[in-house]
Amino acid sequence: MISFAGGQPDPALFPLEELKNASELAFQKHGSQLLQYGISEGYIPLREKIFERYYKNINYQGLSPENILITTGSQQALDLIGKIFINPGDPILIERPGYLGAIQAFSLYEPFTIGVPLEDDGLDTFVLENTLSKTKPKFLYSNPTFQNPTGKTLSIEKRRRISEILRMENCILIEDNPYGEIRFESDTMPSIQSFYPERTISIGTFSKTLSPGFRVGWVCAPEEIINKLLIAKQASDLHSNILSQIVLNEYLNHYDLDLQIDKIRNSYKLKKEAMESALNRYLVEFADWISPKGGMFFWLNLKNDLNTMKLFETAIANNVAFVPGNPFYTGVAETNTMRINFSHSSIETIERGICRIGESIQKLSPISVQG
Amino acid sequence: MISFAGGQPDPALFPLEELKNASELAFQKHGSQLLQYGISEGYIPLREKIFERYYKNINYQGLSPENILITTGSQQALDLIGKIFINPGDPILIERPGYLGAIQAFSLYEPFTIGVPLEDDGLDTFVLENTLSKTKPKFLYSNPTFQNPTGKTLSIEKRRRISEILRMENCILIEDNPYGEIRFESDTMPSIQSFYPERTISIGTFSKTLSPGFRVGWVCAPEEIINKLLIAKQASDLHSNILSQIVLNEYLNHYDLDLQIDKIRNSYKLKKEAMESALNRYLVEFADWISPKGGMFFWLNLKNDLNTMKLFETAIANNVAFVPGNPFYTGVAETNTMRINFSHSSIETIERGICRIGESIQKLSPISVQG
């Protein structure tokens, strides 16, 4: 079985030796501190490094390392946000299609979830403006850079525009950015937060760059919000695993995260190109897609309204897996969509797997797709 | 400042060398598995060991290692339980006074919390029976062995009786047992779960025996409940830190947890005796207490209705801290109560600290306490 279904990093790129060394150092230097209860906010030197790397250049007085809260992966950040903001029936906005983990985390708090459609350059700002003023949502959740599931990136013009729209309604933004550093081109993109720091909750993670198993993510938000998240954090798990926080901090003390990220970028870029060339070879008559400029996913729109839930069964029988688009939608789904991951498979596997998806489509609907 | 306020283990008793070795082994043997996403249920060999040690002898077909869910400390178990059971206004029962972490975790889901009074041998079963039939609560939460905060232990007769009462109402029991192994006498006590396995959610943790910083706890519950908790777990943090789970598993492969627990028992027993003898020296005219047979806490009832919130201020000025009883109560508190911890201080510190509390009481209310 070839699986393009998950969102796992390539384990061959994990800095295993470096983290092993960092772990030994942690035991040597920190002794029983590694094993004792920690503070709910998270390990202070790690929070300082996160602030320094990701938030220092934001032009806003209200942010410092004290505004960083370490979470058990970025998934917990989503859960804590749901916990402090959502009462049953509260409207919230999310991209359509949107990140499945966020939909799941929020849905347990029973919001009224409204999808804002994605265009090729990100959120449809006209719909956003209209929906915001009509529904007064608790927040907008967005994954603007190399989005999961679509791979799309919000343009800089729209980042500015969205910050203006949100400011008019005083609406909170949740900017989730797990893939921002996994970019295949040289130009970086300013965060929406940098235009709207006073009401943005920024979410980050080491899961895509160093290790998902360590479950170390974070939130950066203005004081009033971070204080509420901290209370929810205490009730949720007291604090995140301290061993991994200290090991990551030692890694950052002794190694160059940028070199690690370069390795990932170079590798995933080759995989992405391999997947795109396979798509061009085997799927070009059956599907449309946008070439992602970073991240881990292609998003396919199948032609002739081919249903990807049906295709999934045929594909599984043909030993290849993907995620049908359905679960990424709240409300009515576009049933001809699917997400395929390129980070976790080898280039050879990518070639064979895409070929099998092409075969599956032809098997399922040989006339309609060619008609 | 001498603090008896926390509930921290003595860091000098952490098996630091052993966990360091287990960590090196984990990196050697498991490589990138340590760093990759894990499954939400938790690391299978660790779940098997937990089942074998804590649940194998329960006479009930419906429990196997598949009924164990690893959580980010037992605090997360409480949060997940709140998430799947409590809607705003739902009645729940908890001991009065009860564990603060449970009160906090549940309260974010806005239940109607009803306290069931504790007698010297644990929950008042008459009140329990009466309250159960009247209020039909979602569950009873209990910490029956060396309870936090009172140190009290539910008698075996009452364990049987409570299981009968709960069974009549088909009420779920949450049995939280972080201190059960930290006992100072030889006789063990069967869990309430062993009399009522079909509707009990058992919560355990390695925080008091191996390391709180690792944040590895667990739930053991019948299939229907564990499946719901698993969905909530996925939405909450995907899975708990995998490095610590594998390190703990390697520790259990290569070392004897019972020897480690013996070390803790012997040490805490001496500390408890030191605290009791200091109490007898400095506080016997001012306070009543029950000598705990395990765990980490004394619970004091001050005579003459001395208010421990007021005493707290005087005590802090006298460089000694404790937790006033107030936050352990939902509803009206008994304001003359306080919790003091003996696990985290040295025997010398215990002596000095209790002396200071005695001085603080005399300073606060020299006439009334002697009158």
Side-chain angles (χ1 to χ4, degrees):
Chain A
M1 175 72 68
I2 294 172
S3 178
F4 301 132
Q8 297 187 325
D10 183 349
L13 299 174
F14 290 145
L16 184 61
E17 263 317 291
E18 292 88 338
L19 287 170
K20 180 169 179 283
N21 294 340
S23 165
E24 281 170 25
L25 263 173
F27 271 99
Q28 278 163 31
K29 280 175 58 179
H30 299 273
S32 63
Q33 188 194 359
L34 287 179
L35 310 179
Q36 187 58 287
Y37 284 111
I39 58 171
S40 298
E41 293 87 341
Y43 186 57
I44 291 171
L46 183 62
R47 289 158 63 210
E48 287 169 349
K49 288 191 181 64
I50 290 168
F51 182 79
E52 188 74 19
R53 181 177 176 93
Y54 297 103
Y55 302 102
K56 197 188 162 191
N57 293 327
I58 293 175
N59 185 16
Y60 182 63
Q61 297 287 337
L63 296 181
S64 79
E66 303 210 332
N67 297 76
I68 308 284
L69 171 69
I70 299 290
T71 56
T72 306
S74 63
Q75 184 68 31
Q76 190 188 37
L78 299 171
D79 180 54
L80 299 179
I81 287 166
K83 196 176 243 183
I84 70 167
F85 286 115
I86 302 174
N87 290 308
D90 280 348
I92 63 170
L93 304 189
I94 182 168
E95 291 145 345
R96 182 172 185 281
Y99 173 49
L100 184 53
I103 293 171
Q104 286 173 334
F106 299 150
S107 73
L108 289 194
Y109 299 96
E110 302 173 32
F112 174 57
T113 307
I114 304 162
V116 180
L118 279 178
E119 300 177 308
D120 289 354
D121 61 349
L123 276 176
D124 184 326
T125 50
F126 289 100
V127 175
L128 174 65
E129 189 169 8
N130 196 12
T131 314
L132 254 188
S133 66
K134 268 194 204 143
T135 62
K136 311 282 178 199
K138 281 295 177 81
F139 56 73
L140 163 67
Y141 170 85
S142 176
N143 172 198
T145 308
F146 320 135
Q147 195 232 20
N148 183 354
T150 66
K152 290 176 181 172
T153 296
L154 189 69
S155 67
I156 186 160
E157 296 75 24
K158 281 191 168 178
R159 288 173 193 240
R160 278 211 191 83
R161 180 75 194 113
I162 286 173
S163 70
E164 290 162 10
I165 295 170
L166 293 171
R167 187 172 281 119
M168 275 189 300
E169 296 287 343
N170 204 25
C171 179
I172 286 172
L173 168 71
I174 298 160
E175 183 173 29
D176 194 359
N177 190 22
Y179 310 106
E181 291 176 297
I182 318 294
R183 60 173 189 274
F184 308 142
E185 301 180 5
S186 55
D187 49 327
T188 65
M189 190 68 99
S191 61
I192 316 178
Q193 183 189 29
S194 66
F195 301 114
Y196 188 50
E198 73 274 23
R199 299 283 279 170
T200 295
I201 303 175
S202 168
I203 301 178
T205 180
F206 290 111
S207 290
K208 311 305 185 240
T209 52
L210 289 173
S211 162
F214 275 26
R215 313 303 302 126
V216 180
W218 68 83
V219 179
C220 173
E223 188 182 357
E224 190 195 346
I225 294 172
I226 212 81
N227 287 347
K228 285 185 192 159
L229 290 172
L230 178 61
I231 290 168
K233 167 82 182 164
Q234 285 167 336
S236 289
D237 64 3
L238 287 185
H239 65 81
S240 295
N241 178 285
I242 189 76
L243 173 64
S244 290
Q245 291 185 61
I246 293 182
V247 171
L248 284 185
N249 189 61
E250 287 298 338
Y251 172 93
L252 296 171
N253 277 335
H254 292 91
Y255 299 98
D256 186 345
L257 178 56
D258 286 318
L259 286 181
Q260 163 66 11
I261 291 173
D262 279 345
K263 252 173 60 182
I264 295 172
R265 277 182 194 150
N266 295 336
S267 167
Y268 289 4
K269 188 181 181 203
L270 293 176
K271 291 183 181 202
K272 175 245 162 183
E273 288 167 354
M275 187 169 268
E276 186 148 26
S277 103
L279 287 171
N280 276 317
R281 223 163 318 139
Y282 302 113
L283 285 185
V284 74
E285 354 164 26
F286 309 134
D288 295 314
W289 61 85
I290 288 172
S291 186
K293 294 181 176 175
M296 298 168 42
F297 306 104
F298 273 91
W299 178 253
L300 304 186
N301 279 272
L302 297 196
K303 297 174 185 175
N304 302 307
D305 282 331
L306 200 76
N307 186 309
T308 52
M309 295 291 276
K310 277 191 197 153
L311 176 62
F312 182 73
E313 291 166 31
T314 317
I316 290 292
N318 201 21
N319 289 315
V320 61
F322 56 84
V323 187
N326 209 50
F328 299 101
Y329 292 87
T330 59
V332 180
E334 290 173 26
T335 56
N336 67 324
T337 56
M338 56 193 273
R339 189 193 76 175
I340 47 180
N341 166 274
F342 53 79
S343 62
H344 192 251
S345 306
S346 70
I347 286 180
E348 299 68 39
T349 309
I350 287 171
E351 164 82 17
R352 270 189 295 139
I354 298 298
C355 174
R356 287 186 195 168
I357 292 178
E359 290 165 4
S360 308
I361 294 178
Q362 284 185 302
K363 213 174 279 177
L364 187 70
S365 179
I367 296 159
S368 69
V369 296
Q370 287 163 10
Chain B
M1 176 70 66
I2 294 174
S3 178
F4 302 132
Q8 295 187 328
D10 182 349
L13 299 174
F14 290 146
L16 184 61
E17 263 316 290
E18 293 88 337
L19 287 170
K20 179 169 180 282
N21 294 340
S23 165
E24 279 170 25
L25 263 173
F27 271 99
Q28 278 163 30
K29 280 175 60 178
H30 299 273
S32 64
Q33 189 195 358
L34 287 180
L35 310 179
Q36 187 58 287
Y37 283 112
I39 59 171
S40 299
E41 293 87 341
Y43 185 55
I44 292 171
L46 182 63
R47 289 159 63 211
E48 287 169 349
K49 287 192 181 66
I50 290 168
F51 182 79
E52 189 74 17
R53 182 176 175 93
Y54 297 103
Y55 302 102
K56 197 189 163 190
N57 293 326
I58 292 177
N59 185 16
Y60 182 62
Q61 296 287 337
L63 296 181
S64 78
E66 304 210 331
N67 296 75
I68 308 285
L69 171 68
I70 301 289
T71 55
T72 306
S74 63
Q75 184 69 29
Q76 189 187 38
L78 299 170
D79 180 54
L80 299 179
I81 287 166
K83 197 176 242 182
I84 70 167
F85 286 115
I86 303 174
N87 289 310
D90 280 348
I92 63 170
L93 304 188
I94 181 167
E95 290 146 344
R96 180 171 186 283
Y99 173 50
L100 184 55
I103 294 171
Q104 286 173 333
F106 299 150
S107 74
L108 290 193
Y109 299 97
E110 301 174 31
F112 174 57
T113 306
I114 303 162
V116 180
L118 278 179
E119 300 177 307
D120 289 354
D121 60 350
L123 276 176
D124 183 326
T125 50
F126 289 100
V127 175
L128 175 66
E129 189 169 8
N130 194 14
T131 314
L132 254 187
S133 66
K134 268 195 204 142
T135 62
K136 311 283 180 199
K138 281 295 177 82
F139 56 73
L140 163 67
Y141 169 86
S142 175
N143 172 196
T145 308
F146 320 135
Q147 195 231 20
N148 183 352
T150 65
K152 289 177 181 174
T153 295
L154 188 69
S155 68
I156 184 158
E157 297 74 25
K158 281 193 168 178
R159 286 171 195 242
R160 280 210 190 84
R161 180 76 194 112
I162 286 174
S163 71
E164 289 160 9
I165 295 171
L166 293 172
R167 188 173 281 118
M168 276 190 299
E169 295 287 344
N170 204 24
C171 178
I172 286 171
L173 168 70
I174 298 160
E175 183 173 28
D176 195 358
N177 190 21
Y179 310 106
E181 292 176 297
I182 316 295
R183 60 173 188 275
F184 308 142
E185 300 180 5
S186 56
D187 50 327
T188 65
M189 191 67 99
S191 61
I192 316 179
Q193 182 188 30
S194 65
F195 302 114
Y196 188 50
E198 73 273 22
R199 302 280 279 170
T200 294
I201 303 175
S202 167
I203 301 178
T205 180
F206 290 111
S207 290
K208 311 304 185 241
T209 52
L210 289 172
S211 161
F214 276 26
R215 312 305 300 126
V216 179
W218 66 85
V219 179
C220 173
E223 188 182 358
E224 191 193 345
I225 294 171
I226 212 81
N227 288 346
K228 284 184 192 159
L229 290 171
L230 179 61
I231 291 169
K233 168 80 181 165
Q234 285 166 336
S236 289
D237 64 4
L238 287 184
H239 66 83
S240 295
N241 178 283
I242 189 75
L243 173 64
S244 289
Q245 291 184 62
I246 293 182
V247 171
L248 284 185
N249 188 62
E250 287 298 336
Y251 172 92
L252 296 171
N253 277 335
H254 293 89
Y255 299 97
D256 186 345
L257 178 55
D258 286 318
L259 286 182
Q260 163 66 12
I261 291 172
D262 279 345
K263 253 173 59 182
I264 295 172
R265 278 182 193 150
N266 294 336
S267 166
Y268 290 4
K269 189 180 181 206
L270 292 177
K271 292 183 180 205
K272 175 242 161 186
E273 288 166 354
M275 187 169 269
E276 186 148 27
S277 102
L279 287 171
N280 276 317
R281 223 163 316 140
Y282 303 113
L283 286 185
V284 74
E285 359 164 22
F286 310 135
D288 295 312
W289 62 85
I290 288 173
S291 185
K293 295 181 175 174
M296 299 168 38
F297 305 105
F298 273 90
W299 179 252
L300 304 185
N301 279 273
L302 297 195
K303 297 175 185 175
N304 300 309
D305 282 331
L306 199 77
N307 187 307
T308 53
M309 295 291 276
K310 277 190 198 152
L311 176 63
F312 183 74
E313 290 166 32
T314 316
I316 289 291
N318 201 20
N319 289 314
V320 61
F322 57 83
V323 187
N326 209 52
F328 300 101
Y329 292 87
T330 59
V332 180
E334 291 173 26
T335 55
N336 65 325
T337 57
M338 56 192 273
R339 190 191 76 175
I340 47 181
N341 167 273
F342 53 79
S343 61
H344 192 251
S345 306
S346 70
I347 286 181
E348 298 69 37
T349 310
I350 286 173
E351 165 80 18
R352 269 188 296 138
I354 297 297
C355 174
R356 287 187 196 168
I357 292 178
E359 290 166 5
S360 307
I361 294 179
Q362 286 185 299
K363 212 173 280 175
L364 187 69
S365 179
I367 296 159
S368 67
V369 295
Q370 287 164 10

